[in-house]
Amino acid sequence: MGAAAQGKNAPSREFLEKIFRTAYKIRVFETEGIKLYRQGLIRGYFHPYLGQEGIATGACAALSEGDYIASTHRGHGHCIAWGADVKKMVAELLQKETGYCKGYGGSMHIADISVGNLGANGIVGAGTPLGVGAALANQVNGSDAVTVTFSTDGASNNGTFLESLNLAAIWNLNFILLVENNGYAVSTRIEESTRDTDLYKRGLAIGVESHQVDGNDPFAVYEVMKQAVETCRAGKGPVLIEAKTYRHMGHHVNDPGKYMPEDELAYYKQRDPVDRARAALKEMADVSDEDIAAIEAEIAAEFADAVEFSKNSPEVTPESFREFAVGY
Amino acid sequence: MGAAAQGKNAPSREFLEKIFRTAYKIRVFETEGIKLYRQGLIRGYFHPYLGQEGIATGACAALSEGDYIASTHRGHGHCIAWGADVKKMVAELLQKETGYCKGYGGSMHIADISVGNLGANGIVGAGTPLGVGAALANQVNGSDAVTVTFSTDGASNNGTFLESLNLAAIWNLNFILLVENNGYAVSTRIEESTRDTDLYKRGLAIGVESHQVDGNDPFAVYEVMKQAVETCRAGKGPVLIEAKTYRHMGHHVNDPGKYMPEDELAYYKQRDPVDRARAALKEMADVSDEDIAAIEAEIAAEFADAVEFSKNSPEVTPESFREFAVGY
Amino acid sequence: MAERELMYREALREAIDEEMGLNPSVFIIGEGIAERGGSYKVTEGLLAKYGPKRVRDTPIAEAGMIGVGVGAAIAGARPIVEILYVDFAMLGMDMIVNQAAKFRLMTGGDGRVPFIMRTQGGTGGGVAAQHSQSLEALFYHIPGLRVVMPSTPADAKGLLKYALRQDDPVMFLEHKHLYMTKGMVPDGEHIVEFGKGDIKRVGTDVTVIAWSNMIPRTLEAAEELARQGISVEVIDPRTLVPLDREMIVNSVLKTRRCVIVQEANRRGGVASDIASIVQEECFYEMDAPVEIVAGMDIPVPFNLTLEKASVPQKDDVVAAVRRSLHLDPFAEAAE
Amino acid sequence: MAERELMYREALREAIDEEMGLNPSVFIIGEGIAERGGSYKVTEGLLAKYGPKRVRDTPIAEAGMIGVGVGAAIAGARPIVEILYVDFAMLGMDMIVNQAAKFRLMTGGDGRVPFIMRTQGGTGGGVAAQHSQSLEALFYHIPGLRVVMPSTPADAKGLLKYALRQDDPVMFLEHKHLYMTKGMVPDGEHIVEFGKGDIKRVGTDVTVIAWSNMIPRTLEAAEELARQGISVEVIDPRTLVPLDREMIVNSVLKTRRCVIVQEANRRGGVASDIASIVQEECFYEMDAPVEIVAGMDIPVPFNLTLEKASVPQKDDVVAAVRRSLHLDPFAEAAE
Ligand SMILES: Cc1ncc(C[n+]2csc(CCOP(=O)(O)OP(=O)(O)O)c2C)c(N)n1
Ligand SMILES: Cc1ncc(C[n+]2csc(CCOP(=O)(O)OP(=O)(O)O)c2C)c(N)n1
Ligand SMILES: [Mg+2]
Ligand SMILES: [Mg+2]
């Protein structure tokens, strides 16, 4: 775990449990979701967040009700860490009317604006201007809410990165750009996409407070996010955070990921964020193996319920779709 | 003049005269062109390069035949420094068939691909990808030609800046991005558009060799460009150069530029690049006032001839336009 | 109701001013719109009145401006983003097409995007190929966008006020030639709903549909045709999406003839779509094919004579109306 | 001439391979196209054969990729830029609309832009609103662009080879459902000129115009209609710009009836434009209005049942043909 988590102000059991629960819930969602995909129950794209759970988990723990998030094509983890209802998520993936988007959106478009979730996105880089826009809306409306856009290494070579982060900077917006640098864009290694793989430097170049953090350590992410949120609420935003991480598998469910070197993958698997969260709960809060197993079982059951619920849910009918379409 | 111009290898009279002739030719073109505009002979947009002559002049002097340039909406200076025929330029502004674009393009679109001039551009920032593209074409074709895109402070907050410079970097292209930082985008001061007004840092952040130079010193621009060209021809491109400069008037002919503080303008007028070039020729090459006056008269006459030529030139007829349009 | 004469740009300013006064989440961003009052002076005085939080200058970053506008709208504000030329909106097309237009459907209906892009198009005085386009057809094709093209000060005001109270993304397309034109605008609250066309001139022989700057030109043509004894009905749909199909179809059923006038180039323009609707709905009642008068299929040239030749003029409208009445059977179709 | 069966993607690969072999200034860039061989496997093996200078992976920077492609073309190379989904081309619209399409005119005719954007569109298997669009109408409207939409392996190869030898910017629009379809492709040099449509089935009762993935669907409909005793002529324009107006008009003059099928949504689509041409040219010879079968005016939903409902199916084509023959007079028009 991160140095911060070991300091004098040792984290509470409550906090440690929350972190583990979130990270594990994402792990279960993705692992079980992949099974549903392979059974043909989920269609379209499914980009697993496996291996990156520490980032969404740590980051969302530092945010408050009323804050906003925007996400990527790899968005399940952010959604779950933000407190989404797993039932409605699974139902969405299963194209059901009970899903977050009534089955209109699917994996890449889950959003819930009622709780400030601006949504996943199928366009790499699009979450950045949308997030900056939400931060702008909040500033105009006199709110001190913070908006976090979860972004990617791939999106950092895209024009939206420069344009929108610069707008956030000149307007001192309460905006945090959290770049999840997992080293790949599909099969393209980051070294092939840029000469300088330290992406946080791009924030510094335009006068934005910028940090780099171990994305596989949820506690370290939490600490740097807490600080970033403070910077924002003090009116000194935006902040850029680059979190180094790695995917545990190919780009999407059907990508075998053969281009990922075995030793590289092994290195990161040894630094599994879910394992870290579990170890922290066990070691720092003295939680027993049995209690942890109980938590895990509870989360697994919650997912199984969600699948059951979703399977029994109806789909939107073509008739009501046609009604929806009128005047679109 | 720049320190470099005073070194052991004192510049030749030929070189000094060339620099002065170029800078002065631009000065005359713009000054006289504005008169034509005010007489109603030129229509549409006219963005004078007055005050920035040192940049195009110094930069083009460091390039060779076979190299490429791409320019901006403020493009007359680049065109002239690149050796364009003033007759064809004036004819273009006067909408004549004898103009570079037969009157189809006008001030913002003068191009001459036969000599590697990719053209002025009405879209701020567009010259950067186009220039990188030319550099890519040359690399594919095995040429060691260098492409320079003249760009602006305004364009540096645009997505094209990041995307195309990054592409140039990962492919080690023979590309130089010359950012003319004149402190304004129309009436908007650069301080309002970005937190860090040192634009060269944006190149550094993505691993690109980057320099800052006094754009009002044609010799300093020449020196840094010469070095950049060497970097490129050694296969280590691209290079970013930020040249600090200032406009001597409003954004276009009809902009009174009231928002430009008087003392700021006075400061830069004292650092007039044309005056510097003249002084260098006089002092370093011992050229007499009379000889300089003769050069100036010659250039003025050339422009007057161009106006005469253009006035006597025909316009494209609607009939031949309709023919041109077939199958467009 | 009482009314006053206003310039188009003043009418736009009034709409923004009134709605900013009523709703604190309306704000506006754009290049040079704050201190300088905007290139078309639409936003003059708004900075002083509403302050720098709600009236902001931006860097030259159209994709970013449009993108943050869309994000702000999703998050519940009512942004107006001014883009200097509709041509530059091409830089922000992803945000318009893939985000703004899609969000409502992708969220199953919950998400709303009350985003307004104000911009202007059309030819005018030699500003050449990258500053003269009429690009409404691109937005018109994308489901989810509203496309508004006012031709008069009153419509400009009423439509912009309506835009600021509805919840879908609006492409509010002004015309560079109209800013200084004048017209009567009703006093007090003046709102023009989307989807309601306006009959700018009543007639019986031929229906002519036009919008934006083609309206004044078409009205001139109608005047000339009236002198020739031909009665033209001029319909301005005002909003292309939603389109007042009923008004168009009813008029064509009455006149049995239809001419559509657009400044945009012919191929794949909005006129073609309206023609396809008219022929579908009125085929058996029509006495002539729908005539389209449109810009040439070529970028707009700098040269002023060629620029003029590239877009419809009054005489082109007159000729098309006469063709649709089978007059001058041996005259060639004007381009 | 001898021929072999190839997949659409193999035919595309052959075209690129042959032209790269013939012309050293042809090169290709795109996301994952080099080492991985591309998401649709069109570029498999090209890196090994032509090396990393001419086959390059790019970062995710569509505006930049398209922009440098246009610049390279202006400077005399022949770039192919692969964009994964036509939806993403929206990020590069400025370079397409304001640079590539305009350059020839703006230089008075001297500048040429032999730039090719290869991409794919259409619905397919629940990839939802941002990965399912058919956006040809946007390119179709912009003068200066060529718009190519092959429906068969032979056309794909022949058109791509032609594209690589002409000098204007080409929007080469493939379809995600076609990559694995098979067809006979002539051996040896096989080139299909732009502007020449192809009659995919000869018929006498109704002309049906379709392109891209709507061709197989229309041919199935024609088969079914044949069983009902209705003879359908199926025209594939292959290139929408330039459009083979002559072939279309001649066919409609023969059949006196016309149906147009497009996957893109109805409003402002290419079908509307072709309909406007047909009614203009054939009005007095037609027995029924032009029928358009098109996608619904709504973004494509994720749910597969709704996705299918949102775009034309075989039965929709059958119904439209029957309507144009005034059969089933009481059946409602299918959406
Ligand atoms: C603008 C755009 N271009 C391309 C794609 C196709 N695509 C989807 S995910 C992906 C790779 C993304 O890599 P990165 O941004 O690093 O995110 P990661 O998948 O690593 O989380 C690509 C190329 C897209 N969705 N949007
Ligand atoms: C994409 C785009 N946005 C806006 C404009 C309108 N415009 C033309 S010049 C200009 C200011 C440019 O400032 P800068 O880029 O610094 O160049 P400078 O005029 O100072 O040379 C603007 C906003 C444009 N031409 N293109
Ligand atoms: Mg990545
Ligand atoms: Mg400037």
Side-chain angles (χ1 to χ4, degrees):
Chain A
M1 78 217 66
Q6 298 168 322
K8 277 183 281 192
N9 299 319
S12 66
R13 160 168 180 156
E14 197 193 339
F15 176 77
L16 291 164
E17 186 174 325
K18 181 174 133 188
I19 293 290
F20 172 64
R21 276 182 176 270
T22 302
Y24 190 75
K25 199 192 272 195
I26 300 172
R27 176 66 48 99
V28 168
F29 188 95
E30 299 297 54
T31 316
E32 298 299 315
I34 290 169
K35 288 183 196 154
L36 296 175
Y37 194 96
R38 298 212 197 283
Q39 289 163 31
L41 285 170
I42 299 178
R43 298 291 294 274
Y45 279 116
F46 185 123
H47 303 96
Y49 198 60
L50 294 171
Q52 305 184 197
E53 296 92 338
I55 300 172
T57 301
C60 290
L63 297 171
S64 312
E65 223 186 288
D67 289 338
Y68 284 77
I69 66 163
S71 159
T72 68
H73 57 285
R74 199 177 297 288
H76 305 156
H78 310 128
C79 224
I80 292 170
W82 193 236
D85 182 343
V86 171
K87 270 203 185 82
K88 291 168 105 178
M89 287 182 68
V90 175
E92 185 58 32
L93 298 190
L94 267 59
Q95 316 176 35
K96 298 305 179 78
E97 190 164 10
T98 51
Y100 267 110
C101 314
K102 305 199 176 84
Y104 282 102
S107 167
M108 283 193 295
H109 305 297
I110 298 178
D112 185 3
I113 197 64
S114 71
V115 296
N117 180 352
L118 302 166
N121 214 303
I123 305 294
V124 169
T128 312
L130 297 181
V132 172
L136 176 59
N138 283 316
Q139 192 186 67
V140 167
N141 289 333
S143 152
D144 77 341
V146 169
T147 304
V148 179
T149 287
F150 293 96
S151 185
T152 62
D153 51 299
S156 307
N157 299 314
N158 198 282
T160 50
F161 175 94
L162 172 61
E163 293 197 15
S164 15
L165 191 60
N166 187 56
L167 287 173
I170 57 170
W171 293 334
N172 303 316
L173 298 182
N174 286 3
F175 177 71
I176 299 169
L177 183 60
L178 210 173
V179 176
E180 307 193 18
N181 184 350
N182 64 10
Y184 287 87
V186 192
S187 58
T188 304
R189 297 177 68 84
I190 186 170
E191 291 78 10
E192 302 170 63
S193 286
T194 181
R195 279 184 178 178
D196 194 327
T197 58
D198 284 333
L199 302 174
Y200 73 97
K201 293 181 186 165
R202 299 176 189 199
L204 296 179
I206 55 168
V208 171
E209 179 183 322
S210 302
H211 306 275
Q212 200 174 46
V213 66
D214 175 1
N216 281 20
D217 181 347
F219 303 102
V221 172
Y222 169 77
E223 290 298 332
V224 70
M225 267 293 292
K226 224 174 59 172
Q227 185 184 324
V229 168
E230 272 166 32
T231 300
C232 284
R233 300 222 213 265
K236 289 186 264 174
V239 180
L240 169 66
I241 298 169
E242 178 192 2
K244 299 263 187 196
T245 186
Y246 199 79
R247 289 185 327 228
H248 277 189
M249 57 178 286
H251 173 61
H252 51 52
V253 176
N254 291 329
D255 172 15
K258 295 237 169 76
Y259 48 83
M260 297 161 75
E262 269 175 40
D263 55 342
E264 198 178 75
L265 181 57
Y267 174 89
Y268 281 98
K269 282 211 167 170
Q270 271 169 18
R271 283 151 187 82
D272 183 329
V274 180
D275 288 349
R276 283 205 203 186
R278 188 189 291 103
L281 180 60
K282 212 162 123 173
E283 288 157 26
M284 298 183 61
D286 269 335
V287 178
S288 70
D289 284 345
E290 294 72 45
D291 284 355
I292 285 176
I295 292 171
E296 294 185 353
E298 187 193 312
I299 289 170
E302 187 192 353
F303 188 87
D305 282 354
V307 174
E308 208 43 36
F309 165 82
S310 301
K311 284 184 175 167
N312 294 327
S313 291
E315 294 187 24
V316 167
T317 62
E319 293 67 44
S320 73
F321 168 52
R322 290 214 178 82
E323 248 166 65
F324 182 36
V326 171
Y328 199 94
Chain B
M1 79 219 63
Q6 299 166 321
K8 277 182 279 191
N9 301 319
S12 67
R13 158 164 181 156
E14 196 192 340
F15 176 76
L16 292 164
E17 185 174 325
K18 179 174 136 186
I19 294 289
F20 173 63
R21 278 183 175 270
T22 302
Y24 190 75
K25 199 189 271 195
I26 301 173
R27 177 64 49 97
V28 167
F29 188 95
E30 299 297 53
T31 315
E32 298 299 315
I34 291 169
K35 289 183 197 154
L36 296 175
Y37 194 95
R38 297 211 198 283
Q39 288 163 30
L41 286 170
I42 300 178
R43 299 292 295 275
Y45 279 116
F46 185 123
H47 303 96
Y49 197 61
L50 295 171
Q52 304 185 198
E53 296 92 338
I55 300 172
T57 300
C60 290
L63 297 171
S64 312
E65 224 188 286
D67 288 339
Y68 284 76
I69 67 162
S71 159
T72 68
H73 56 286
R74 199 177 296 289
H76 306 157
H78 311 127
C79 225
I80 292 170
W82 193 236
D85 182 342
V86 171
K87 270 205 186 80
K88 291 169 107 178
M89 287 181 70
V90 174
E92 185 58 31
L93 299 189
L94 266 58
Q95 316 176 34
K96 298 305 178 75
E97 191 165 11
T98 50
Y100 267 111
C101 314
K102 305 200 176 83
Y104 282 101
S107 167
M108 284 193 294
H109 305 298
I110 297 179
D112 184 3
I113 197 66
S114 72
V115 296
N117 180 352
L118 303 166
N121 214 301
I123 305 294
V124 169
T128 313
L130 297 182
V132 172
L136 175 58
N138 282 317
Q139 191 185 68
V140 168
N141 288 334
S143 153
D144 78 341
V146 170
T147 303
V148 180
T149 288
F150 293 96
S151 185
T152 62
D153 50 300
S156 306
N157 299 314
N158 199 283
T160 51
F161 175 94
L162 172 61
E163 292 196 16
S164 14
L165 191 59
N166 187 57
L167 288 172
I170 57 171
W171 293 333
N172 303 317
L173 299 182
N174 286 3
F175 176 72
I176 299 170
L177 184 60
L178 209 173
V179 176
E180 306 193 18
N181 184 349
N182 64 8
Y184 286 89
V186 192
S187 58
T188 304
R189 297 178 67 84
I190 186 170
E191 291 79 7
E192 301 170 62
S193 286
T194 180
R195 279 185 177 177
D196 195 326
T197 59
D198 284 333
L199 302 173
Y200 74 96
K201 292 181 186 165
R202 299 177 188 198
L204 295 179
I206 56 169
V208 170
E209 178 183 323
S210 301
H211 306 275
Q212 200 174 45
V213 66
D214 176 1
N216 281 20
D217 181 346
F219 303 101
V221 173
Y222 169 76
E223 290 299 331
V224 71
M225 267 292 295
K226 225 174 58 173
Q227 186 185 324
V229 168
E230 272 166 31
T231 300
C232 284
R233 299 223 215 264
K236 290 186 264 172
V239 179
L240 169 65
I241 299 169
E242 179 193 2
K244 299 263 187 196
T245 186
Y246 200 76
R247 288 186 327 228
H248 277 190
M249 56 177 288
H251 174 61
H252 51 51
V253 176
N254 291 328
D255 173 14
K258 295 238 170 73
Y259 48 83
M260 296 161 74
E262 269 175 39
D263 54 343
E264 199 177 76
L265 182 56
Y267 174 90
Y268 281 99
K269 282 210 167 173
Q270 272 170 16
R271 284 153 187 81
D272 184 327
V274 180
D275 288 349
R276 284 205 203 187
R278 188 189 291 103
L281 180 60
K282 212 162 124 171
E283 288 157 27
M284 297 182 63
D286 268 335
V287 178
S288 70
D289 283 344
E290 293 73 45
D291 285 354
I292 286 178
I295 292 171
E296 294 185 355
E298 186 192 314
I299 289 170
E302 186 191 354
F303 188 86
D305 282 353
V307 174
E308 209 41 39
F309 166 81
S310 301
K311 282 184 178 168
N312 294 326
S313 290
E315 293 188 24
V316 167
T317 61
E319 293 66 46
S320 74
F321 168 51
R322 290 213 178 82
E323 247 166 65
F324 182 36
V326 170
Y328 200 93
Chain C
M1 210 199 298
E3 50 179 23
R4 309 134 296 148
E5 195 178 62
L6 288 182
M7 278 197 279
Y8 190 83
R9 70 184 185 196
E10 291 167 335
L12 290 165
R13 188 189 308 142
E14 254 190 29
I16 300 172
D17 189 358
E18 286 176 17
E19 295 302 305
M20 287 187 83
L22 290 167
N23 185 344
S25 77
V26 174
F27 69 95
I28 181 160
I29 68 174
E31 294 161 16
I33 61 135
E35 272 181 62
R36 192 158 47 89
S39 293
Y40 317 108
K41 308 234 171 290
V42 170
T43 53
E44 231 168 32
L46 296 178
L47 173 65
K49 191 157 173 187
Y50 296 105
K53 277 242 158 81
R54 295 177 65 195
V55 183
R56 299 182 193 227
D57 284 332
T58 66
I60 305 168
E62 281 77 8
M65 292 154 68
I66 293 172
V68 305
V70 173
I74 290 174
R78 292 195 168 270
I80 305 173
V81 176
E82 180 180 303
I83 298 293
L84 285 170
Y85 285 77
V86 70
D87 316 67
F88 310 161
M90 295 301 95
L91 288 150
M93 273 303 263
D94 171 62
M95 281 290 148
I96 296 170
V97 171
N98 290 324
Q99 307 297 335
K102 303 286 185 284
F103 196 69
R104 178 144 67 96
L105 172 117
M106 291 192 310
T107 54
D110 290 342
R112 289 284 192 243
V113 189
F115 161 74
I116 298 180
M117 177 175 86
R118 274 190 49 241
T119 186
Q120 59 80 25
T123 54
V127 291
Q130 292 172 339
H131 290 69
S132 301
Q133 293 172 90
S134 298
L135 293 174
E136 61 268 25
L138 305 195
F139 307 122
Y140 181 86
H141 181 53
I142 302 298
L145 303 177
R146 303 290 171 256
V147 182
V148 181
M149 298 193 79
S151 67
T152 67
D155 290 347
K157 178 172 179 184
L159 290 164
L160 187 48
K161 281 178 70 84
Y162 186 83
L164 283 161
R165 298 181 185 193
Q166 57 82 59
D167 286 337
D168 285 305
V170 176
M171 306 288 107
F172 199 94
L173 308 177
E174 302 156 12
H175 194 290
K176 50 174 74 61
H177 262 171
L178 292 174
Y179 285 118
M180 313 260 282
T181 58
K182 289 178 181 169
M184 301 309 291
V185 178
D187 282 343
E189 181 99 326
H190 169 63
I191 290 193
V192 177
E193 233 178 282
F194 288 1
K196 305 271 178 238
D198 190 35
I199 299 180
K200 297 289 184 201
R201 179 185 178 114
V202 178
T204 52
D205 294 334
V206 179
T207 299
V208 183
I209 302 158
W211 51 90
S212 190
N213 196 39
M214 289 298 108
I215 283 290
R217 208 159 284 181
T218 297
L219 288 173
E220 278 174 46
E223 203 56 52
E224 178 166 330
L225 286 158
R227 287 193 292 270
Q228 301 174 9
I230 299 166
S231 165
V232 170
E233 177 143 301
V234 179
I235 291 185
D236 179 354
R238 302 197 285 197
T239 60
L240 296 177
V241 183
L243 183 70
D244 194 342
R245 291 168 70 117
E246 208 185 313
M247 177 181 279
I248 291 170
V249 168
N250 286 340
S251 176
V252 177
L253 290 179
K254 179 177 79 176
T255 63
R256 308 178 71 92
R257 289 170 166 93
C258 180
V259 173
I260 309 174
V261 187
Q262 78 182 2
E263 182 167 346
N265 61 289
R266 169 74 164 83
R267 186 193 302 139
V270 173
S272 302
D273 195 63
I274 297 178
S276 81
I277 294 169
V278 168
Q279 70 87 33
E280 196 176 18
E281 304 261 355
C282 312
F283 180 81
Y284 300 104
E285 286 82 13
M286 289 183 78
D287 290 337
V290 182
E291 290 277 344
I292 294 179
V293 183
M296 287 166 66
D297 285 318
I298 191 161
V300 175
F302 167 60
N303 176 290
L304 289 167
T305 312
L306 307 186
E307 178 193 277
K308 207 172 156 195
S310 76
V311 294
Q313 303 299 325
K314 187 188 72 177
D315 290 350
D316 301 317
V317 180
V318 169
V321 167
R322 293 181 60 88
R323 268 200 308 281
S324 85
L325 284 160
H326 307 300
L327 300 167
D328 327 314
F330 301 113
E332 255 186 76
E335 184 70 41
Chain D
M1 209 199 298
E3 48 178 25
R4 309 133 296 147
E5 195 179 62
L6 288 182
M7 277 198 279
Y8 190 82
R9 69 183 187 198
E10 291 166 336
L12 290 165
R13 188 189 308 141
E14 252 189 29
I16 301 171
D17 189 358
E18 286 176 15
E19 295 302 306
M20 286 187 83
L22 289 169
N23 184 343
S25 76
V26 174
F27 69 95
I28 180 160
I29 68 174
E31 294 162 15
I33 61 135
E35 270 181 65
R36 193 158 45 88
S39 292
Y40 316 107
K41 308 233 172 290
V42 170
T43 53
E44 232 168 31
L46 296 178
L47 172 65
K49 190 157 175 189
Y50 297 104
K53 278 244 158 79
R54 296 178 65 197
V55 183
R56 299 181 193 227
D57 284 333
T58 67
I60 304 167
E62 281 76 7
M65 293 154 67
I66 293 172
V68 304
V70 174
I74 288 174
R78 293 197 166 270
I80 305 172
V81 176
E82 179 178 304
I83 298 293
L84 285 170
Y85 285 78
V86 69
D87 317 67
F88 309 162
M90 295 301 95
L91 288 150
M93 272 303 261
D94 171 61
M95 281 290 148
I96 296 170
V97 171
N98 290 324
Q99 308 297 336
K102 302 285 186 284
F103 195 69
R104 177 144 66 96
L105 172 116
M106 291 191 312
T107 54
D110 291 340
R112 290 283 193 240
V113 189
F115 160 74
I116 298 180
M117 177 175 87
R118 275 189 50 239
T119 186
Q120 58 81 23
T123 55
V127 290
Q130 292 172 339
H131 291 69
S132 300
Q133 293 171 89
S134 299
L135 293 174
E136 61 268 25
L138 305 195
F139 308 122
Y140 181 84
H141 181 52
I142 302 298
L145 303 177
R146 303 289 170 256
V147 182
V148 182
M149 298 193 77
S151 68
T152 67
D155 290 346
K157 177 171 179 186
L159 290 164
L160 188 49
K161 281 178 68 86
Y162 186 83
L164 283 161
R165 298 181 185 193
Q166 57 81 61
D167 285 336
D168 286 304
V170 176
M171 306 287 106
F172 199 95
L173 308 176
E174 302 157 11
H175 194 289
K176 51 174 74 59
H177 262 171
L178 291 175
Y179 285 118
M180 314 259 281
T181 58
K182 290 179 181 168
M184 299 310 290
V185 178
D187 282 343
E189 181 99 324
H190 169 62
I191 290 195
V192 177
E193 231 177 285
F194 288 0
K196 304 271 177 236
D198 190 37
I199 298 179
K200 296 288 184 201
R201 180 186 177 112
V202 178
T204 52
D205 294 334
V206 180
T207 299
V208 182
I209 302 158
W211 52 91
S212 190
N213 196 38
M214 290 298 107
I215 284 290
R217 210 159 283 180
T218 297
L219 289 173
E220 277 174 46
E223 203 56 53
E224 179 167 328
L225 285 158
R227 287 192 292 271
Q228 301 174 10
I230 298 167
S231 165
V232 170
E233 178 143 301
V234 179
I235 291 184
D236 179 354
R238 301 196 286 197
T239 60
L240 296 177
V241 183
L243 183 70
D244 194 341
R245 289 168 71 118
E246 207 184 314
M247 178 180 279
I248 292 170
V249 168
N250 286 341
S251 176
V252 176
L253 289 179
K254 177 177 81 175
T255 62
R256 309 178 69 93
R257 291 170 165 91
C258 179
V259 173
I260 310 173
V261 187
Q262 79 183 1
E263 183 166 346
N265 62 288
R266 168 75 163 85
R267 186 193 301 139
V270 173
S272 301
D273 196 63
I274 297 178
S276 80
I277 295 169
V278 168
Q279 70 87 33
E280 196 176 18
E281 305 260 357
C282 313
F283 180 81
Y284 299 104
E285 285 81 14
M286 289 183 77
D287 290 336
V290 182
E291 291 277 344
I292 294 178
V293 183
M296 287 167 66
D297 284 317
I298 192 161
V300 175
F302 167 61
N303 176 290
L304 288 168
T305 312
L306 307 186
E307 178 193 275
K308 207 172 156 194
S310 76
V311 293
Q313 303 299 325
K314 187 188 71 176
D315 289 352
D316 301 316
V317 180
V318 169
V321 168
R322 293 181 59 86
R323 269 200 309 282
S324 85
L325 285 159
H326 307 298
L327 302 167
D328 326 315
F330 301 111
E332 254 186 78
E335 185 70 39

